């Protein structure tokens, strides 16, 4: 009997590095310091040097990627009533944390031929008001946003640029002929270590990254531990949002192997792109369409195709019948989510491209250590669907 091919299968990474991960867990258990301590500190330092070799960045770990966004908004000094531009095609975390803090989300449409936020200044200016303070951009599916254009826009209008890199860790973008890791483009950048993310732990985890010399670094360091400068010196009200030592120890092992696991995902993505190129582009759009792969290296967190609306759900059901899971990330764009849509109702909120995307996107299984036969099964099923 055919076994089901899941959207993600993080256990394959565990099985591949089982001895090292088991040892790391055992080391933490026997060493006795379970919150904070050496494992967390080492992980933060190792991740910072992974993100930038010249040691310009600092990483502050926290409990998850959603908290990381809240901490970023707080460190950026955003206040109730401030407006914050964010993608309408997104997961819920950014809007949720913004609304919890009394900020006003302003939804921005997706850029043409992309999954990431609009970046053209001529379009972005339409969303500005005297209350606009920040812009959040997301490396959606692990594909880089247009960071140079976004940076120029934010500089011109005095906005803080926040990079949600929950899906992009390990991806890169070539800027001025230099390759730079995603997660180093925001004034503040956030990450999630949810198990299926590019660098996943075995529970919840998250982190924030900023330049060492930025005004945010010290603030972030204290905000996530009750606003303490040193123990019991409470400088401002903070949060309790910590990465625990067990997760840090596991993440250290997985970070050492990250280039291998991401290489595995890139291999699957390339197989899909090569094999599915024969399908009529009027029926199926590949994720590589519209990106320059010599400049932009996705983490391939998700391999997301676009299928004309009436066919998308049929293809998804067809794959499911063949025991292949394909997911929709995300079925409802944020400006259409009922509990949030009313909040910015005073603003014109037309995000046509995000609406279209939500009806056309479908993510094929793409994960490290996926077997050749599994990739071939997915390819064969998609091709059979379009040629029958
Ligand atoms: C996963 C994710 C988050 C939230 O991360 P958690 O660790 O689950 O809180 C935020 N933003 C994006 C884009 C994500 O994909």
């Amino acid at each position: 009997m055919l076994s089901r091919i899941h959207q993600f299968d993080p256990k394959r990474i565990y099985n591949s590095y089982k001895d090292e991960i088991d040892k790391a867990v055992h080391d933490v258990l026997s060493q006795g310091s379970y919150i904070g301590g050496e494992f967390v500190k080492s992980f933060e330092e190792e991740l910072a040097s992974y993100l930038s070799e010249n040691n310009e960045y600092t990483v502050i770990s926290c409990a998850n990627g959603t908290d990381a966004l809240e901490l970023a908004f707080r460190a950026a000094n955003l206040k109730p009533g401030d407006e914050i531009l964010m993608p309408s095609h997104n997961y819920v975390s950014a809007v949720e944390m913004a609304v919890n803090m009394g900020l006003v989300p302003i939804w921005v449409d997706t850029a043409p031929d992309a999954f990431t936020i609009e970046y053209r200044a001529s379009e972005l200016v339409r969303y500005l008001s005297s209350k606009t303070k920040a812009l959040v951009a997301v490396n959606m599916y692990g594909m880089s946003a247009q960071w140079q254009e976004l940076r120029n826009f934010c500089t011109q209008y005095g906005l803080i640029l926040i990079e949600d890199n929950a899906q992009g860790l390990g991806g890169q973008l070539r800027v001025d002929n230099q390759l730079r890791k995603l997660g180093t483009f925001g004034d503040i950048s956030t990450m999630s270590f949810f198990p299926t993310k590019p660098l996943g732990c075995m529970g919840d985890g998250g982190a924030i990254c900023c330049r060492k010399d930025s005004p945010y670094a010290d603030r972030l360091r204290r905000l996530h531990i009750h606003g303490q400068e040193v123990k019991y010196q409470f400088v401002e009200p903070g949060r309790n949002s910590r990465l625990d030592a067990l997760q840090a120890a596991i993440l250290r092992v997985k970070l050492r192997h990250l280039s291998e696991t991401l290489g595995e995902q890139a291999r699957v993505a390339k197989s899909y792109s090569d094999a599915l190129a024969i399908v009529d582009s009027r029926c199926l759009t590949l994720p590589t369409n519209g990106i320059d792969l010599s400049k932009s290296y996705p983490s391939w967190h998700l391999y997301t195709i676009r299928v004309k609306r009436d066919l998308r759900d049929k293809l998804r059901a067809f794959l499911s019948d063949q025991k292949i899971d394909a997911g929709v990330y995300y079925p409802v764009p944020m400006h259409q989510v009922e509990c949030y849509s009313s909040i910015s109702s005073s603003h014109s909120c037309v995000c046509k491209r995000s609406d279209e995307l939500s009806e056309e996107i479908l993510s094929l299984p793409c994960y490290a250590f996926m077997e050749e036969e599994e990739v071939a099964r997915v390819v064969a099923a998609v091709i059979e669907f379009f040629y029958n």
Side-chain angles (χ1 to χ4, degrees):
M1 229 184 45
L2 278 184
S3 57
R4 185 160 277 281
I5 302 177
H6 299 288
Q7 178 83 59
F8 294 105
D9 197 353
K11 202 164 91 216
R12 305 245 178 140
I13 299 186
Y14 172 58
N15 289 337
S16 298
Y17 308 114
K18 187 174 184 309
D19 292 348
E20 279 174 83
I21 293 174
D22 287 354
K23 179 176 182 306
V25 168
H26 187 260
D27 287 348
V28 175
L29 296 183
S30 50
Q31 154 270 170
S33 170
Y34 304 131
I35 294 281
E38 280 313 304
F39 289 95
V40 175
K41 188 161 175 283
S42 303
F43 170 65
E44 289 178 344
E45 287 167 3
E46 286 157 12
L47 183 54
S49 15
Y50 173 82
L51 288 170
S52 155
E53 284 160 7
N54 15 354
N55 214 20
E56 299 154 309
Y57 290 84
T58 184
V59 166
I60 298 106
S61 58
C62 64
N64 57 65
T66 307
D67 278 6
L69 282 162
E70 185 195 330
L71 292 162
F73 296 165
R74 288 224 213 179
N77 240 344
L78 301 180
K79 294 281 186 313
D82 286 350
E83 292 184 359
I84 176 167
L85 309 188
M86 57 177 70
S88 46
H89 178 59
N90 196 8
Y91 184 58
V92 73
S93 298
V95 60
E96 179 184 29
M97 290 299 107
V99 167
N100 284 343
M101 287 174 64
L103 313 178
V104 181
I106 304 293
W107 282 293
V108 177
D109 206 356
T110 310
D113 291 324
F115 299 114
T116 48
I117 195 168
E118 175 64 72
Y119 58 90
R120 295 166 300 175
S122 58
E123 293 292 316
L124 283 176
V125 287
R126 298 195 294 117
Y127 299 94
L128 292 177
S129 83
S130 58
K131 293 182 185 156
T132 318
K133 294 286 156 54
L135 182 151
V136 179
V138 180
N139 296 310
M140 187 51 74
Y141 310 146
M143 308 181 95
S144 179
Q146 311 282 336
W147 290 110
Q148 267 183 307
E149 289 85 348
L150 291 168
R151 169 57 69 198
N152 291 341
F153 178 79
C154 287
T155 304
Q156 181 171 0
Y157 293 97
L159 308 182
I160 296 166
L161 179 56
I162 295 168
E163 175 181 19
D164 180 343
N165 193 35
Q167 306 188 2
L169 189 56
Q172 300 182 82
L173 179 68
R174 194 180 294 281
V175 175
D176 299 330
N177 225 14
Q178 253 195 324
L179 268 183
R180 258 174 70 184
K181 291 260 174 29
L182 301 184
T184 61
F185 288 98
D187 292 307
I188 308 175
S189 301
T190 63
M191 290 165 268
S192 163
F193 308 124
F194 185 85
T196 58
K197 299 286 161 99
L199 177 65
C201 58
M202 289 164 177
D204 272 314
I208 309 126
C209 175
C210 64
R211 292 187 68 92
K212 273 185 182 158
D213 58 7
S214 83
Y216 311 112
D218 289 344
R219 190 99 197 272
L220 285 164
R221 282 235 168 261
R222 66 179 188 240
L223 274 173
H224 84 116
I225 42 164
H226 305 293
Q228 295 173 100
E229 200 75 75
V230 284
K231 204 167 187 186
Y232 301 128
Q233 279 184 25
F234 305 105
V235 180
E236 63 178 320
R239 285 284 318 276
N240 175 15
S241 182
R242 299 178 294 218
L243 181 72
D244 62 60
L246 271 174
Q247 300 304 339
I250 292 166
L251 285 164
R252 289 182 73 198
V253 175
K254 290 180 85 175
L255 181 60
R256 284 203 292 276
H257 297 290
L258 186 60
S259 60
E260 185 183 6
T261 52
L262 292 180
E264 280 278 312
Q265 282 171 208
R267 169 186 64 84
V268 175
K270 183 164 188 317
S271 301
Y272 285 152
S273 293
D274 290 348
L276 298 178
I278 61 160
V279 180
D280 189 334
S281 60
R282 282 169 301 183
C283 303
L284 184 156
T285 309
L286 298 174
T288 40
N289 179 59
I291 68 164
D292 179 351
L293 285 175
S294 68
K295 286 209 181 106
S296 185
Y297 300 79
S299 69
W300 293 114
H301 169 60
L302 286 166
Y303 186 93
T304 304
I305 56 174
R306 293 182 66 166
V307 182
K308 283 290 163 238
R309 50 204 83 179
D310 46 324
L311 289 180
R312 195 269 309 269
D313 291 338
K314 288 186 187 137
L315 172 59
R316 190 183 190 188
F318 181 82
L319 292 174
S320 181
D321 286 346
Q322 306 211 10
K323 295 196 168 182
I324 297 167
D325 293 339
V328 173
Y329 301 88
Y330 300 93
V332 183
M334 283 304 132
H335 66 284
Q336 307 278 14
V337 174
E338 208 178 321
C339 69
Y340 295 120
S341 60
S342 59
I343 290 164
S344 64
S345 60
S346 55
H347 303 269
S348 67
C349 166
V350 183
C351 296
K352 258 188 75 203
R353 283 188 291 266
S354 299
D355 290 333
E356 263 170 36
L357 268 187
S358 65
E359 294 179 350
E360 297 184 0
I361 44 177
L362 189 67
S363 300
L364 302 178
C366 179
Y367 48 81
F369 307 110
M370 195 171 165
E371 284 164 22
E372 298 283 352
E373 304 86 83
E374 292 170 320
V375 176
R377 249 177 76 194
V378 176
V379 165
V382 173
I383 291 177
E384 188 190 340
F385 176 80
F386 284 107
Y387 285 86
N388 271 333

